């Protein structure tokens, strides 16, 4: 549990520090600052909605969804076990950190600070009807959490169940 709390605190710190830097150093809706051509750019944006700007201005809905999500993630966090369920535990810590990182922005500013842009994804997003998007570390932690949670649920959990079943059916030597 301590490892999970450390990961959550570090992740929220990374998210909030980089958002402060973006807010302080970059002009609002200014031109992209290219760090790695075609791969990574930064530009400061205020997102009053959720992913891709959806549900703009629905602060009460976001607050309720955040409370429900944190309740669920907190419940799952009690099963964190960095010795036997590393991927699951990391996923839950990232779910909590990402949710809290964006909730802090909404509480302080009424919007989420976004600043990272990955231009190599633009063609794919445009093909499915989504415009260019900007995100932040909290969003990245949430995306990683989804992938890690799916890996644990569909691959690693099955392996744990098979191993447990194998141990239960194998005679114990005394």
């Amino acid at each position: 549990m301590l490892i999970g709390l450390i990961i959550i605190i570090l992740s929220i710190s990374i998210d909030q520090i980089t958002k402060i830097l973006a807010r302080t150093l970059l002009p609002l809706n200014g031109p992209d600052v290219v760090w790695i051509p075609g791969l990574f750019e930064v530009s400061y944006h205020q997102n009053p909605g959720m992913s891709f700007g959806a549900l703009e201005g629905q602060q009460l809905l976001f607050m309720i969804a955040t409370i429900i999500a944190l309740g669920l993630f907190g419940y799952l966090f009690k099963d964190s076990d960095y010795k036997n369920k590393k991927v699951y535990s990391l996923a839950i810590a990232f779910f909590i950190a990402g949710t809290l990182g964006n909730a802090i922005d909404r509480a302080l500013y009424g919007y989420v600070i976004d600043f990272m842009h990955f231009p190599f994804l633009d063609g794919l997003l445009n093909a499915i009807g989504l415009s260019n998007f900007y995100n932040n570390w909290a969003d990245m932690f949430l995306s990683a959490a989804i992938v890690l949670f799916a890996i644990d649920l569909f691959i690693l959990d099955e392996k744990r169940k098979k191993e447990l079943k194998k141990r239960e059916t194998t005679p114990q030597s005394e």
Side-chain angles (χ1 to χ4, degrees):
M1 178 114 23
L2 179 61
I3 294 170
L5 291 173
I6 291 169
I7 290 169
I8 292 167
I9 291 167
L10 285 174
S11 299
I12 292 171
S13 298
I14 289 167
D15 177 64
Q16 291 298 304
I17 289 168
T18 56
K19 287 175 179 175
I20 290 168
L21 290 171
R23 189 169 191 228
T24 305
L25 300 175
L26 300 169
L28 178 61
N29 299 324
D32 287 351
V33 177
V34 177
W35 283 23
I36 303 172
L39 292 178
F40 182 64
E41 304 169 348
V42 295
S43 178
Y44 171 56
H45 297 271
Q46 299 173 349
N47 182 356
M50 57 183 239
S51 293
F52 307 107
L55 299 175
E56 185 173 326
Q58 299 294 318
Q59 294 304 324
L60 180 60
L61 178 63
F62 290 130
M63 195 177 346
I64 292 168
T66 298
I67 291 167
I68 291 169
L70 287 173
L72 174 64
F73 300 146
Y75 176 78
L76 296 174
F77 186 70
K78 71 177 179 43
D79 294 327
S80 291
D81 177 354
Y82 284 89
K83 182 177 180 185
N84 300 306
K85 295 168 66 175
K86 291 176 185 75
V87 173
Y88 170 89
S89 301
L90 186 59
I92 300 306
F94 280 170
F95 272 130
I96 293 169
T99 302
L100 283 173
N102 284 337
I104 290 168
D105 286 12
R106 288 190 206 296
L108 292 177
Y109 313 116
Y111 55 83
V112 172
I113 295 171
D114 287 332
F115 61 92
M116 294 190 292
H117 180 231
F118 301 95
F120 67 93
L121 295 174
D122 290 348
L124 173 66
L125 293 172
N126 288 330
I128 59 174
L130 299 172
S131 61
N132 299 346
F133 72 99
Y134 291 80
N135 61 14
N136 56 53
W137 279 104
D139 298 334
M140 300 294 278
F141 293 133
L142 288 168
S143 297
I146 291 167
V147 171
L148 292 171
F149 192 77
I151 290 169
D152 185 80
L153 183 65
F154 296 115
I155 299 170
L156 301 177
D157 191 49
E158 197 59 39
K159 286 183 178 182
R160 283 192 297 269
K161 286 178 184 175
K162 285 180 183 177
E163 183 63 33
L164 180 62
K165 189 174 182 180
K166 183 179 175 182
R167 275 190 253 132
E168 289 173 351
T169 58
T170 304
Q172 300 282 328
S173 60
E174 295 180 28

